[in-house]
């Protein structure tokens, strides 16, 4: 059969790419000297970069970066909803969470997956207690969260990012919501886990799972609590307390970001006038 000069012909024999990859081994959460793979202690969180007003055409927006976990959020509205099946005097939140196609080790779909839809509902439940929905009757606030890179702790970072975006949009809120994730593997509990620690780590002992807490820091109330895996009652309570401490550590970063955003907005108004 003659060769086709218009195409690049491959070799006569081919082999799967997996044959050239090394064997995947699960790592322990904490190394022998008491520190994790990235040098942090079990109770340390990753450095946080947080900025509001990053999407120009949105009513409010925010971008959060915790080392290699990167999330961006945009808020639109409130917009009037004329036709609705169920009439409500209060407003509604609509959250859309999406892992971008290049955010994970395995390529994601362009459309929302079942997991994305479940996380969207969780984010909605976490943010609703913080928003004064009674001030927006028959209105809807749209929140779009996109994960640019997933290196663990995505849900906690998304809660914090969406809350800052709502505040940047000028939505009346009782308080901001700060999220934190904890990974439990046997007797080892770590805050703000990386992707390997959250999904690829070796299970140790009976207690294996994760906890995500959304906290309203000023009101000292939990807006959402998600627990997966098998955890004892005492271990679960201790994990929740650790997540609350992690949220309180993140709160000063959120407060400073919003103060800086307001100052920048005021300076822009003064220059415009």
């Amino acid at each position: 059969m003659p060769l086709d000069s218009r195409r690049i012909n491959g070799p006569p024999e081919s082999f799967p790419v997996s044959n050239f990859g090394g064997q995947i081994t699960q790592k322990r959460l904490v190394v022998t000297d008491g520190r994790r793979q990235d040098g942090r202690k079990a109770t340390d969180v990753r450095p946080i970069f947080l900025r509001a007003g990053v999407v120009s055409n949105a009513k409010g927006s925010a971008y959060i970066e915790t080392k290699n976990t990167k999330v961006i959020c945009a808020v639109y509205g409130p917009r009037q909803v004329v036709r609705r099946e169920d009439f409500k005097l209060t407003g509604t939140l609509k959250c859309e969470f999406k892992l971008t196609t290049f955010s994970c080790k395995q390529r994601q779909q362009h459309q929302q997956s079942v997991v994305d839809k479940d996380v969207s509902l969780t984010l909605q439940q976490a943010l609703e207690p913080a928003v004064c929905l009674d001030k927006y009757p028959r209105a809807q606030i749209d929140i779009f969260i996109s994960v640019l890179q997933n290196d663990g702790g995505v849900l906690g970072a998304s809660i914090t990012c969406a809350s800052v975006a709502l505040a940047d949009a000028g939505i009346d809120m009782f308080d901001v919501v700060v999220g934190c994730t904890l990974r439990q593997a046997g007797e080892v509990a770590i805050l703000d886990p990386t992707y390997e620690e959250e999904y690829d780590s070796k299970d140790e002992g009976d207690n294996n799972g994760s906890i995500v807490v959304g906290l309203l820091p000023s009101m000292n109330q939990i807006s959402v609590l998600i627990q997966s895996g098998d955890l004892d009652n005492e271990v679960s309570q201790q994990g929740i307390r650790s997540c609350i401490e992690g949220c309180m550590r993140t709160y000063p970063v959120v407060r400073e970001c919003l103060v800086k955003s307001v100052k920048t907005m005021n300076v822009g108004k003064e220059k415009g006038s």
Side-chain angles (χ1 to χ4, degrees), residues 52-55 57-62 73-77 142 164-170:
V54 294
V55 181
N57 61 344
K59 183 70 177 297
S61 59
C73 176
V75 174
Y76 299 88
D142 299 315
V164 173
L166 284 169
D168 182 63

Side-chain angles (χ1 to χ4, degrees), residues 32-78:
T32 54
D33 59 353
R35 293 187 176 272
R36 290 140 75 169
Q37 300 295 330
D38 55 2
R40 289 183 294 154
K41 296 181 180 179
T43 57
D44 291 345
V45 297
R46 289 172 288 185
I48 300 174
F49 173 81
L50 182 61
R51 177 171 293 179
V54 294
V55 181
S56 58
N57 61 344
K59 183 70 177 297
S61 59
Y63 171 78
I64 188 170
E65 184 175 311
T66 58
K67 204 65 180 289
N68 292 329
T69 295
K70 303 171 184 178
V71 181
I72 190 169
C73 176
V75 174
Y76 299 88

Side-chain angles (χ1 to χ4, degrees), residues 152-173:
V154 167
L155 182 54
S158 299
I159 292 174
T160 305
C161 186
S163 176
V164 173
L166 284 169
D168 182 63
I171 303 298
D172 291 338
M173 303 175 66

Side-chain angles (χ1 to χ4, degrees), residues 73 117 120 134 214 249 251 260:
C73 176
K117 293 180 180 179
S120 300
D134 57 329
R249 295 179 193 173
Y251 178 54
K260 185 177 180 180

Side-chain angles (χ1 to χ4, degrees), residues 83-101:
R83 296 181 181 180
R84 291 184 53 180
E85 296 179 358
D86 53 338
F87 177 76
K88 291 183 180 179
L89 292 176
T90 60
T92 57
L93 291 181
K94 182 181 179 182
C95 296
E96 183 176 316
F97 175 88
K98 181 70 178 70
L99 289 167
T100 56
T101 57

Side-chain angles (χ1 to χ4, degrees), residues 31-272:
V31 293
T32 54
D33 59 353
R35 293 187 176 272
R36 290 140 75 169
Q37 300 295 330
D38 55 2
R40 289 183 294 154
K41 296 181 180 179
T43 57
D44 291 345
V45 297
R46 289 172 288 185
I48 300 174
F49 173 81
L50 182 61
R51 177 171 293 179
V54 294
V55 181
S56 58
N57 61 344
K59 183 70 177 297
S61 59
Y63 171 78
I64 188 170
E65 184 175 311
T66 58
K67 204 65 180 289
N68 292 329
T69 295
K70 303 171 184 178
V71 181
I72 190 169
C73 176
V75 174
Y76 299 88
R79 60 183 180 86
Q80 202 73 13
V81 179
V82 180
R83 296 181 181 180
R84 291 184 53 180
E85 296 179 358
D86 53 338
F87 177 76
K88 291 183 180 179
L89 292 176
T90 60
T92 57
L93 291 181
K94 182 181 179 182
C95 296
E96 183 176 316
F97 175 88
K98 181 70 178 70
L99 289 167
T100 56
T101 57
F102 50 84
S103 61
C104 303
K105 294 182 179 180
Q106 296 181 352
R107 187 172 179 82
Q108 303 295 307
Q109 299 178 356
H110 290 280
Q111 293 86 6
Q112 265 193 319
S113 63
V114 178
V115 177
D116 292 341
K117 293 180 180 179
D118 291 341
V119 176
S120 300
L121 181 60
T122 301
L123 288 169
Q124 178 180 336
Q125 295 172 350
L127 297 171
E128 280 181 344
V131 180
C132 303
L133 294 175
D134 57 329
K135 294 187 177 182
Y136 304 98
R138 299 179 60 187
Q140 178 174 300
I141 302 172
D142 299 315
I143 307 172
F144 298 92
I145 304 105
S146 298
V147 178
L148 305 179
Q149 187 173 350
N150 180 8
D151 190 32
V154 167
L155 182 54
S158 299
I159 292 174
T160 305
C161 186
S163 176
V164 173
L166 284 169
D168 182 63
I171 303 298
D172 291 338
M173 303 175 66
F174 298 105
D175 196 0
V176 294
V177 188
V178 182
C180 185
T181 306
L182 178 135
R183 172 74 165 90
Q184 183 78 37
E187 297 180 355
V188 179
I190 58 173
L191 280 177
D192 192 18
T194 62
Y195 189 90
E196 292 183 353
E197 293 170 338
E198 191 171 3
Y199 300 105
D200 299 338
S201 57
K202 184 179 179 181
D203 294 339
E204 304 173 359
D206 298 331
N207 290 301
N208 290 287
S210 61
I211 299 174
V212 180
V213 170
L215 179 70
L216 282 69
S218 299
M219 304 177 66
N220 196 23
Q221 293 185 2
I222 294 177
S223 63
V224 67
L225 171 61
I226 304 167
Q227 177 178 312
S228 60
D230 185 12
L231 300 176
D232 295 339
N233 188 23
E234 296 182 359
V235 175
S236 178
Q237 292 181 4
Q238 180 60 37
I240 294 173
R241 287 192 290 268
S242 299
C243 283
I244 292 175
E245 293 177 0
C247 292
M248 296 304 296
R249 295 179 193 173
T250 308
Y251 178 54
V253 180
V254 174
R255 184 172 52 193
E256 182 180 355
C257 173
L258 292 176
V259 170
K260 185 177 180 180
S261 176
V262 172
K263 290 182 179 179
T264 304
M265 188 182 303
N266 292 335
V267 170
K269 290 182 179 179
E270 292 178 358
K271 290 183 179 180

